[in-house]
Amino acid sequence: MPRVPPTSPTTGLPTAPHLLHTLQGHFVDPRGRTLLLRGVNLSGGAKAPPNQPSWKRDGFFELAEDGGESFVGRPLDLDDGTADIHLARLRGWGFTLLRYVVTWEALEHAGPGKYDYEFMDYTVRVLRKCKEFGFKVYMDPHQDIWSRFSGGSGAPLWTLHACALQPRHFTATHATMLHCEHPTPHAPDPQSFPAMIWSTDYQRLAAQHLFALFFGGRNFAPLCLIDGVNVQDWLQAHFIDAVCKLAERIRDAGDLLDECVIGWDPMNEPSEGFIGHRDLREIPKEQTLRKGTCPTGIQGLRLGMGDKVDLDYYEFGSMGPRKTGTVTVDPRGRTCWLSEDDEPGGVSAWGWRRGEQWKLGMCPWALHGVWDPATGTCLRPDYFAHPPDRPDKDVVFVRDYWLPHWQAYARRIRALHPEAILFIQPPVFVRPPLIPEEDLKGRAAYSPHYYDGLTLMTRHWNWYNADALGLLRGKYSSMFQALKVGESMIRRSLREQLAMFREDVRITMGAQYPVVIGEIGTPYDMDGRRAYGYTDGGRYKGDYSAQQRALDASLSASDGGNMLDYTIWTYVPDHSHEWGDGWNMEDLSLYSADDLRPTGRDNPFAPNATANASSTSIATASSSVTSLTAVQPGPTSPLLAKQLQPDPSMSALSLALANSPYLALPAADWATGNLYRFLTNGARAPRAFARPYPTATVGVPTDIEFDIASADFRMTVRVKPEDAPTKLLGDEEDSDGADADRDAEGNLPTEVYIPVVHYASDALLRRGEKKAKSGMGMGNGRLRSKSSFFTRSRSQLSLATINASSATLVSALVDIDVQVSEGKFEIDGQTLKWWYPVPAPGAAEATYTLRVRRRLGPIKMTRE
């Protein structure tokens, strides 16, 4: 690993002691340790205002037409005490990175240039809370299918009106599928909205039209002017201005940039729209997600003008999409375009003036000669395949249209956040274009998304799968060649697919930049929502074994030699079994309040007491509570039943646990009685995502493997002379206390997250038993225990590290056997610290190995 640069590559100023770096394919801390940043998207619930999930029709259009609703309260509620509990849970699962979801609508819902500063200030408060819990954050300007009003999330309603669309007629014209109007606006049954049918909406008229104007309006729609400028420039300027207003607010907070907010994603999962379509009379072969009615480009345009059209109908089965027939769609004369009556005198109620050549009531693409509404004939089927001024040139969307927008966005963000790590996210599964180093400036990361598509579409963990990314990238000539049979082949294929992202970076950005899988996850409503007790007479209620296998396969693909960072999609605080994440019947949240279990011994998923329970005494947590004061919860705070007056030694986690109303935790004995329960209660398949990994490594981790069944973790690290950790001048102890961990030779430890979920001590599992006596057993030497993995105080118990090739470490939280090829180690809460020699200058590199297992064997669950 190269030395941490003393000056910033973006500003030329001395690097701050808290700055993370992007070097040789990894994030690197200020001391030169290699980081793996793993975390979660917070939150899928932020796609809509509070109390307005996608299935709710009441007020859906009306509120937005009146200026929209506030998103204050998203993604976390700061007023009822639950934010601390949710963040403590995420931290306890070992997550250190948050992808923070915020929508354009949340920032500018009232109209062009009318910003919701109250929401921005609320966002600053939530970010400060995230900082308090030690998270690094990158901001995600999120969209799906452009907007809530075109079947997804993201842009405010007025952007659709600006593009001459009338969303109230989308359902009739099949311009998109709206959850709250499915199957019809007059007789909605949103529970019947098929899973993932929204994915086809990207290939329906609304999204195709909106993205074509946003990215390519100047080339393809020169007649579409608003306030004298092309609609492309008008839309992009408003989007970038809105995000930058939030960036200004975060900058002006004074304590968030770089210390907490490390960077910015561009627009989430951008779409090409019509741009690049070779023939509007055919469904593009790249459109692999086909479900429900699937119009061609020209069929969508005809429907948008009110024509009756016969559409192909697809079902997505275990072998992918299959055409099952045709469906006749008759809009009965309704069109999805605004009429001249909607903008009397050419002036919108939102305040803009439309160009005279942009005639309302007519499809804009007919105005540009793409098709003839009188006959329904497609006049220029390849209109979007070539720039109109260069008919000999083939369109490459990411190079010609996405990259210029990203560059404009990046310049504005860097002006406000000079040290921002800029994330690169082109359309899903599309390799980014070549990006000049003068744009990247040494501080960037590639943030593609990856889902196991077959599992996501079928809601079933199958015994076979396909190399979807390889198929799209031309690795195979047929689907049969891409087929993978058996779990071992599926897991190997997933790892090979994720390895392609490393190659993408090498080709287009340079090997120095890391890869963060921005979204990865698996659905929890598998097999007819069997785990919710909806089938088989409730026999499988609470059984997330299939979800665990699927998610473990995806996350394991990031391990091995890939060493990828990731943020799992998603964590939704108000998830429910009935409505899932609250958006289009999606159900990927790692947590659900509906999965909170009784805390007594009637819980069918309580861990079995290990047969050969250790006789070793276990140290208790020594934090104490000075007083508990009952308070009356306010009308908006039904969950906050008591308030803790904390002892100064108590951590943020202890405080949150003591405040937890649905666990009723004894504030002084959570470590021996309740941490395991807290981290598993409400969690869905936590053994798949609360997994061990090196959070900070002296050198470079070259291989990590974790066997979920045996709780067997292995790690290999390569160390070179230049990997000796840096000592920052004039800083005896940095803000997180890293220098306090240096050994006598000045070495810092490699730190490995050891999850209680897999390695809980036997005493911790015996939740109802009497607190264990103070003291600690170990295989060799003495060991400290702490009440928290947040605090770093060493005053409570004496410390002696173990200097041996193997030993048993038993603490209040975990009970593990550790084997190392060299070095010494200790356990500190859920962190294993491992010191080893760094080769002297001129010496050959060294390779060290670590193995961690639970001393009493893996924790068995009664259901299994």
Side-chain angles (χ1 to χ4, degrees):
M1 184 65 61
R3 306 299 293 174
V4 170
T7 59
S8 165
T10 61
T11 66
L13 299 174
T15 52
H18 52 261
L19 201 64
L20 297 190
H21 306 273
T22 53
L23 301 168
Q24 287 197 356
H26 297 283
F27 291 99
V28 177
D29 75 7
R31 298 305 191 278
R33 291 184 296 181
T34 302
L35 303 178
L36 270 183
L37 300 179
R38 291 184 168 178
V40 71
N41 281 260
L42 187 71
S43 153
K47 294 182 179 185
N51 305 313
Q52 192 65 55
S54 66
W55 53 266
K56 185 178 178 181
R57 178 59 181 82
D58 292 346
F60 180 67
F61 288 117
E62 293 79 6
L63 291 169
E65 289 167 346
D66 288 339
E69 301 171 81
S70 171
F71 280 63
V72 169
R74 296 295 193 187
L76 296 172
D77 192 328
L78 293 178
D79 298 324
D80 66 359
T82 56
D84 292 84
I85 296 170
H86 292 304
L87 292 172
R89 181 180 290 114
L90 293 172
R91 201 72 173 88
W93 287 341
F95 295 144
T96 59
L97 181 65
L98 299 176
R99 182 171 182 250
Y100 194 104
V101 176
V102 62
T103 65
W104 182 2
E105 182 188 3
L107 304 174
E108 200 178 5
H109 53 78
K114 298 179 180 179
Y115 302 110
D116 191 335
Y117 291 111
E118 181 184 1
F119 171 75
M120 296 181 194
D121 291 340
Y122 184 84
T123 301
V124 167
R125 291 174 57 204
V126 178
L127 288 170
R128 283 201 173 116
K129 181 65 69 174
C130 295
K131 177 185 175 183
E132 177 185 327
F133 278 82
F135 286 105
K136 299 298 183 184
V137 172
Y138 67 111
M139 305 301 292
D140 163 35
H142 201 89
Q143 75 80 35
D144 309 272
I145 327 165
W146 186 262
S147 170
R148 285 196 297 138
F149 308 100
S150 50
S153 67
L157 176 68
W158 54 262
T159 64
L160 282 76
H161 289 171
C163 294
L165 288 166
Q166 175 49 272
R168 287 180 177 269
H169 293 168
F170 282 171
T171 299
T173 59
H174 277 225
T176 197
M177 298 286 104
L178 294 174
H179 186 194
C180 63
E181 292 190 343
H182 180 80
T184 68
H186 304 295
D189 179 19
Q191 269 288 336
S192 66
F193 196 71
M196 289 297 293
I197 196 171
W198 63 265
S199 62
T200 308
D201 286 347
Y202 272 110
Q203 302 301 327
R204 298 184 195 276
L205 177 58
Q208 289 178 318
H209 171 71
L210 288 159
F211 283 107
L213 291 186
F214 183 85
F215 285 110
R218 282 200 306 270
N219 277 169
F220 298 105
L223 302 181
C224 294
L225 304 180
I226 296 180
D227 292 336
V229 299
N230 185 267
V231 66
Q232 171 187 337
D233 301 308
W234 192 86
L235 287 170
Q236 289 196 21
H238 277 290
F239 170 74
I240 294 174
D241 285 349
V243 177
C244 286
K245 287 293 182 182
L246 175 62
E248 287 178 7
R249 223 67 174 185
I250 295 172
R251 178 201 62 188
D252 294 345
D255 60 343
L256 291 174
L257 293 188
D258 306 322
E259 297 180 53
C260 175
V261 178
I262 62 171
W264 298 76
D265 239 351
M267 176 184 282
N268 176 71
E269 296 188 356
S271 172
E272 301 92 335
F274 281 125
I275 300 173
H277 279 216
R278 288 179 288 274
D279 191 335
L280 293 174
R281 299 166 300 186
E282 299 178 356
I283 297 176
K285 67 177 183 179
E286 297 86 1
Q287 186 182 338
T288 57
L289 299 180
R290 304 181 188 183
K291 195 169 187 178
T293 55
C294 294
T296 65
I298 186 60
Q299 287 175 329
L301 292 170
R302 290 182 58 201
L303 284 165
M305 283 299 293
D307 289 355
K308 181 167 67 174
V309 178
D310 294 332
L311 301 180
D312 290 343
Y313 190 89
Y314 282 80
E315 293 181 358
F316 200 100
S318 57
M319 296 301 292
R322 179 173 62 92
K323 180 181 173 181
T324 59
T326 59
V327 173
T328 300
V329 177
D330 185 0
R332 299 188 178 181
R334 285 168 289 186
T335 80
C336 70
W337 306 109
L338 294 178
S339 70
E340 292 184 350
D341 293 338
D342 292 310
E343 293 185 6
V347 179
S348 167
W350 298 101
W352 61 71
R353 180 177 291 275
R354 198 176 301 274
E356 292 183 2
Q357 292 180 288
W358 193 349
K359 302 297 183 182
L360 293 182
M362 174 59 69
C363 171
W365 305 112
L367 293 175
H368 287 86
V370 177
W371 71 294
D372 179 10
T375 63
T377 304
C378 187
L379 303 175
R380 301 181 65 182
D382 64 346
Y383 180 77
F384 297 98
H386 314 281
D389 60 340
R390 289 283 305 278
D392 59 326
K393 178 183 177 183
D394 290 335
V395 162
V396 178
F397 173 78
V398 290
R399 180 194 66 198
D400 301 333
Y401 298 97
W402 176 83
L403 179 58
H405 165 68
W406 181 88
Q407 290 172 315
Y409 172 81
R411 284 192 296 270
R412 292 285 304 279
I413 289 294
R414 277 260 168 83
L416 297 165
H417 185 177
E419 300 287 11
I421 295 172
L422 296 178
F423 290 77
I424 315 298
Q425 188 198 150
V428 176
F429 283 2
V430 176
R431 179 180 288 136
L434 291 172
I435 302 176
E437 180 56 30
E438 56 263 31
D439 292 321
L440 301 174
K441 295 184 178 180
R443 296 189 60 77
Y446 181 35
S447 56
H449 294 178
Y450 184 87
Y451 291 95
D452 168 8
L454 185 64
T455 301
L456 191 63
M457 292 293 292
T458 63
R459 293 312 204 253
H460 179 71
W461 175 242
N462 297 275
W463 56 271
Y464 59 89
N465 211 307
D467 180 354
L469 186 55
L471 197 63
L472 288 172
R473 296 281 180 89
K475 184 177 178 181
Y476 310 98
S477 59
S478 70
M479 173 67 83
F480 179 77
Q481 291 176 317
L483 189 65
K484 307 297 178 183
V485 178
E487 188 157 331
S488 62
M489 288 188 67
I490 293 171
R491 294 170 71 93
R492 183 163 58 249
S493 174
L494 291 174
R495 184 167 289 183
E496 290 171 353
Q497 290 178 67
L498 265 58
M500 294 184 194
F501 294 137
R502 284 284 187 199
E503 184 65 10
D504 287 350
V505 169
R506 187 190 67 78
I507 293 172
T508 65
M509 297 170 59
Q512 79 173 83
Y513 295 106
V515 178
V516 182
I517 308 298
E519 292 183 18
I520 189 169
T522 203
Y524 284 89
D525 57 342
M526 290 183 179
D527 304 311
R529 297 193 272 187
R530 188 173 75 168
Y532 303 163
Y534 290 3
T535 69
D536 304 282
R539 177 184 175 189
Y540 296 100
K541 184 176 182 180
D543 181 359
Y544 288 103
S545 56
Q547 291 86 340
Q548 178 175 293
R549 290 170 67 191
L551 186 56
D552 177 54
S554 287
L555 299 185
S556 291
S558 298
D559 293 341
N562 284 337
M563 294 294 161
L564 301 179
D565 309 274
Y566 57 67
T567 44
I568 301 170
W569 187 269
T570 176
Y571 184 95
V572 179
D574 55 353
H575 176 280
S576 71
H577 286 175
E578 183 179 11
W579 296 109
D581 302 338
W583 182 82
N584 283 345
M585 300 307 296
E586 291 300 277
D587 197 332
L588 287 89
S589 178
L590 304 181
Y591 162 86
S592 177
D594 285 350
D595 283 298
L596 289 170
R597 306 182 300 269
T599 57
R601 297 212 175 253
D602 56 341
N603 170 19
F605 291 94
N608 285 332
T610 310
N612 57 339
S614 170
S615 60
T616 304
S617 61
I618 308 297
T620 63
S622 56
S623 294
S624 61
V625 177
T626 55
S627 65
L628 281 172
T629 305
V631 298
Q632 287 284 39
T636 60
S637 307
L639 298 178
L640 189 59
K642 57 187 178 181
Q643 179 176 343
L644 175 66
Q645 302 296 324
D647 184 290
S649 68
M650 287 196 69
S651 69
L653 175 64
S654 306
L655 174 61
L657 292 174
N659 277 340
S660 173
Y662 40 73
L663 293 178
L665 300 180
D669 69 354
W670 66 266
T672 54
N674 293 288
L675 181 62
Y676 181 92
R677 180 170 64 198
F678 173 70
L679 295 180
T680 57
N681 200 11
R684 289 120 66 83
R687 297 207 292 177
F689 59 79
R691 47 198 308 117
Y693 70 99
T695 58
T697 304
V698 176
V700 178
T702 57
D703 185 66
I704 59 175
E705 297 289 349
F706 177 58
D707 185 289
I708 193 171
S710 60
D712 188 352
F713 173 74
R714 299 170 187 252
M715 171 183 168
T716 302
V717 58
R718 185 190 69 236
V719 190
K720 298 180 179 180
E722 57 265 31
D723 293 326
T726 302
K727 179 75 172 181
L728 298 186
L729 295 176
D731 188 14
E732 292 303 317
E733 181 170 331
D734 66 331
S735 59
D736 64 2
D739 277 345
D741 285 325
R742 291 183 184 271
D743 64 8
E745 291 75 34
N747 292 318
L748 284 175
T750 284
E751 299 186 2
V752 181
Y753 168 63
I754 304 296
V756 159
V757 168
H758 286 281
Y759 299 100
S761 65
D762 193 61
L764 191 61
L765 299 182
R766 296 175 178 273
R767 294 168 297 172
E769 293 188 359
K770 192 176 180 180
K771 288 192 339 182
K773 297 179 180 179
S774 295
M776 182 140 318
M778 60 190 64
N780 182 10
R782 298 185 61 204
L783 186 68
R784 71 166 178 222
S785 173
K786 291 186 182 180
S787 63
S788 165
F789 48 84
F790 290 114
T791 57
R792 304 183 70 88
S793 169
R794 297 191 173 208
S795 61
Q796 296 171 3
L797 291 176
S798 61
L799 165 66
T801 57
I802 294 175
N803 191 5
S805 62
S806 64
T808 295
L809 305 184
V810 183
S811 74
L813 299 184
V814 300
D815 183 350
I816 55 177
D817 284 332
V818 180
Q819 295 177 336
V820 297
S821 60
E822 190 162 354
K824 55 190 176 182
F825 48 86
E826 70 176 53
I827 192 72
D828 181 3
Q830 290 189 108
T831 299
L832 177 70
K833 296 181 178 180
W834 175 27
W835 291 262
Y836 42 73
V838 175
E845 69 178 41
T847 299
Y848 302 131
T849 60
L850 166 74
R851 186 178 187 183
V852 178
R853 290 172 290 180
R854 188 169 183 270
R855 183 172 62 91
L856 301 175
I859 300 170
K860 299 296 183 182
M861 312 301 283
T862 56
R863 176 69 76 183
E864 295 175 353

